[in-house]
Amino acid sequence: MKRLTQLFLILTAVAVIFIGCEADLSTTDDSITSSQTRGSMSQVSSFGSNPGSLAMYKYIPSGMPSNAPLVIAMHGCTQTAADYANSGWKDMADAHKFYVVFPEQNSSNNQNKCFNWFEPGDIARDYGESKSIKSMIDNMKSNYSIDASKVFVNGFSAGGYMAPVIYAVYPDVINGMSVN
């Protein structure tokens, strides 16, 4: 029951954030005023075990507090990490001060760049893509002040199918999830 309550709260919070950003999801880096500072997005080339052969991108808002939340945000088919990051995630992370990791699928794993939520070798704990995503989380926890009780996963399209996989196989790591 506790996880169901957490899931409801996360889904509600994400819905509120998206409704608040709905007016202009196409905001670009140029829209930040001079009194605001944009964070940075970068690729992490070595983040630990990567049996799923995924790429890791992280977004770090400026001025992060200690013990901040972490969101794993997974793109849809044919998209990239940057596509999903630019759909409003960077603005939300800047405004609400949370870290974001954007796992990115590559066409050698799936020709449409879909996460392989339907492949047994990618959805079991400590195997394939799920292990790669767990390694990304571990990397962030090792390098930043992450509140371990505030690690969430989100996904869109195929990423939306992979989000409950990660939530289910790592219940000791993921505290809530949402699907767009």
Side-chain angles (χ1 to χ4, degrees), residues 47 50-55 104-106 108-109 122 128-129 132 136:
F47 54 86
N50 188 13
S53 298
L54 301 176
E104 185 176 82
Q105 184 61 279
N106 65 67
S108 65
N109 286 345
D122 285 310
E129 293 176 14
S132 295
M136 294 176 196

Side-chain angles (χ1 to χ4, degrees), residues 149-168:
S149 70
K150 294 180 182 173
V151 178
F152 309 106
V153 64
N154 166 272
F156 173 72
S157 182
Y161 282 99
M162 188 58 109
V165 167
I166 302 304
Y167 184 65

Side-chain angles (χ1 to χ4, degrees), residues 77-171:
C77 296
T78 73
Q79 292 182 318
T80 65
D83 293 335
Y84 204 44
N86 291 327
S87 70
W89 280 105
K90 292 189 292 187
D91 294 328
M92 289 185 291
D94 286 334
H96 301 285
K97 298 298 181 196
F98 59 87
Y99 296 97
V100 190
V101 166
F102 297 96
E104 185 176 82
Q105 184 61 279
N106 65 67
S107 58
S108 65
N109 286 345
N110 183 295
Q111 69 179 6
N112 292 318
K113 296 185 78 173
C114 303
F115 288 97
N116 290 314
W117 55 270
F118 49 86
E119 294 289 345
D122 285 310
I123 62 174
R125 185 181 178 104
D126 295 333
Y127 289 94
E129 293 176 14
S130 64
K131 174 60 176 174
S132 295
I133 293 165
K134 169 68 164 57
S135 294
M136 294 176 196
I137 295 166
D138 292 343
N139 178 277
M140 291 296 290
K141 286 180 174 179
S142 294
N143 292 301
Y144 300 95
S145 180
I146 306 287
D147 184 339
S149 70
K150 294 180 182 173
V151 178
F152 309 106
V153 64
N154 166 272
F156 173 72
S157 182
Y161 282 99
M162 188 58 109
V165 167
I166 302 304
Y167 184 65
V169 299
Y170 294 107

Side-chain angles (χ1 to χ4, degrees), residues 2-15 18 70-74 84 89 137 149-171 173-180:
K2 180 181 175 188
R3 288 194 67 80
L4 184 59
T5 302
Q6 288 175 334
L7 177 61
F8 176 76
L9 291 174
I10 296 306
L11 290 172
T12 302
V14 169
F18 273 106
L70 170 64
V71 175
I72 309 306
M74 293 178 285
Y84 204 44
W89 280 105
I137 295 166
S149 70
K150 294 180 182 173
V151 178
F152 309 106
V153 64
N154 166 272
F156 173 72
S157 182
Y161 282 99
M162 188 58 109
V165 167
I166 302 304
Y167 184 65
V169 299
Y170 294 107
V173 176
I174 304 298
N175 306 103
M177 63 135 234
S178 64
V179 175
N180 297 18

